[in-house]
Amino acid sequence: MNRVREYREKQGLSQFALSQKIGVARQTINLIENNKYNPSLNLCISLAKVLGTNLNGLFWEEDDEN
Amino acid sequence: MKIKESLLTKYMKMILGIPGQLDEYRKQEMQRICNNAFVITWLYIVTATMFFMLYGYLHPFNGIMMFSMSNVIFLFFVSVYMKLAARKSHLTKEEVSIEDYNKAKKKILLLSIKDFILFVVIFNLLDAILNFVFDNDNILNQIIHPKKGFTILIFFGTFVAIGNYISRLHRMKKMK
């Protein structure tokens, strides 16, 4: 599971507001949050920048580090 | 993140009824649907051509008529598949913010007026060409003074434009 929803809620953004900031459709954000779509690296970087974090924070699962 | 649209992409969007800008998910889904439709069409073309080549050898007139009819029926089913698949992938909805809603409404009104003009021009031209082919009428004269008059074209053009306006309005969703 990624942590896009968690970071988005921390920033107080709705799915629509986040999608407007990045320039994608709201459905795309919804699919990413529900792990139904694997975004491209460019989109992941944009998401991390807008949510004020990095790729590890957003997409790296802690179990995988061990 | 917005993707530059080529003419072919714009055409695909028009067939599938995808409003607004494409993002990477929408583009990927659109290409998947179009690829599926292409493979189905390819299989149909190979099978139908083989069949009607053999059948047309024995009954040429029936072969041509049946081939054209089966093409129309096939096109209908492929179009239905594409529309349903686009709807299932949530490609047909356009979400606009409350601030941009009036602007978006004006935009779809302008698009519907464009549809009306295109309908009248294309069908007037088509009618003129048909009259030229079947009745040997003067093509330029038919464009300026169509046999059936402009009233019927304007009536159906308005019908199409209103239909498109309602359908686009229905696809638009106001977001906070």
Side-chain angles (χ1 to χ4, degrees):
Chain A
M1 282 293 281
N2 64 60
R3 297 168 73 192
V4 175
R5 187 189 300 266
E6 190 187 317
Y7 275 97
R8 176 176 62 75
E9 283 169 356
K10 255 188 212 170
Q11 296 272 336
L13 292 169
S14 64
Q15 281 186 345
F16 185 66
L18 179 61
S19 71
Q20 295 284 89
K21 282 192 172 193
I22 298 171
V24 295
R26 189 195 57 79
Q27 288 94 334
T28 309
I29 301 292
N30 186 43
L31 290 165
I32 294 169
E33 284 186 357
N34 291 307
N35 280 322
K36 285 180 181 168
Y37 174 64
N38 289 326
S40 69
L41 188 57
N42 280 343
L43 182 52
C44 292
I45 293 168
S46 301
L47 271 171
K49 276 183 185 166
V50 171
L51 296 174
T53 181
N54 54 37
L55 294 180
N56 277 358
L58 268 187
F59 296 102
W60 201 261
E61 288 177 22
E62 280 177 16
D63 291 340
D64 294 352
E65 285 175 12
N66 300 325
Chain B
M1 281 298 123
K2 281 171 186 169
I3 291 163
K4 204 180 166 192
E5 292 172 8
S6 66
L7 196 67
L8 192 65
T9 310
K10 282 181 185 167
Y11 190 59
M12 284 197 270
K13 270 177 73 180
M14 195 186 82
I15 295 171
L16 293 173
I18 304 171
Q21 272 288 331
L22 283 180
D23 62 10
E24 59 174 56
Y25 165 73
R26 286 178 151 212
K27 190 171 184 185
Q28 203 173 304
E29 280 299 292
M30 185 183 81
Q31 285 173 340
R32 182 187 62 82
I33 295 165
C34 288
N35 280 347
N36 286 352
F38 170 76
V39 173
I40 297 165
T41 310
W42 190 85
L43 288 171
Y44 164 75
I45 289 172
V46 170
T47 320
T49 310
M50 291 286 274
F51 174 76
F52 286 108
M53 255 169 68
L54 296 172
Y55 183 76
Y57 187 74
L58 301 170
H59 309 281
F61 182 74
N62 283 354
I64 290 169
M65 291 308 284
M66 279 170 72
F67 190 45
S68 358
M69 283 303 287
S70 74
N71 282 348
V72 172
I73 294 165
F74 175 78
L75 191 67
F76 171 77
F77 280 111
V78 168
S79 306
V80 169
Y81 159 73
M82 287 169 94
K83 290 272 177 196
L84 289 179
R87 211 169 157 183
K88 200 180 163 195
S89 299
H90 307 286
L91 301 180
T92 50
K93 285 273 178 202
E94 187 183 15
E95 292 175 336
V96 286
S97 60
I98 295 174
E99 301 88 60
D100 295 336
Y101 188 72
N102 285 335
K103 212 170 134 185
K105 256 175 98 173
K106 268 184 197 165
K107 198 179 159 190
I108 63 167
L109 182 71
L110 287 173
L111 278 173
S112 303
I113 293 169
K114 194 177 134 192
D115 288 345
F116 168 77
I117 295 166
L118 269 175
F119 181 90
V120 172
V121 170
I122 290 170
F123 275 85
N124 189 26
L125 201 68
L126 203 68
D127 198 37
I129 292 168
L130 286 176
N131 284 333
F132 169 72
V133 172
F134 291 109
D135 300 335
N136 213 14
D137 289 337
N138 185 312
I139 202 159
L140 197 68
N141 194 34
Q142 277 301 304
I143 291 170
I144 302 163
H145 305 289
K147 258 185 193 174
K148 289 166 195 159
F150 279 108
T151 325
I152 196 153
L153 279 175
I154 290 168
F155 174 76
F156 282 111
T158 312
F159 188 72
V160 167
I162 291 172
N164 284 353
Y165 179 78
I166 293 168
S167 139
R168 284 183 183 125
L169 201 65
H170 180 70
R171 283 192 223 143
M172 212 158 68
K173 201 175 163 189
K174 219 190 276 184
M175 297 295 291
K176 282 180 188 174

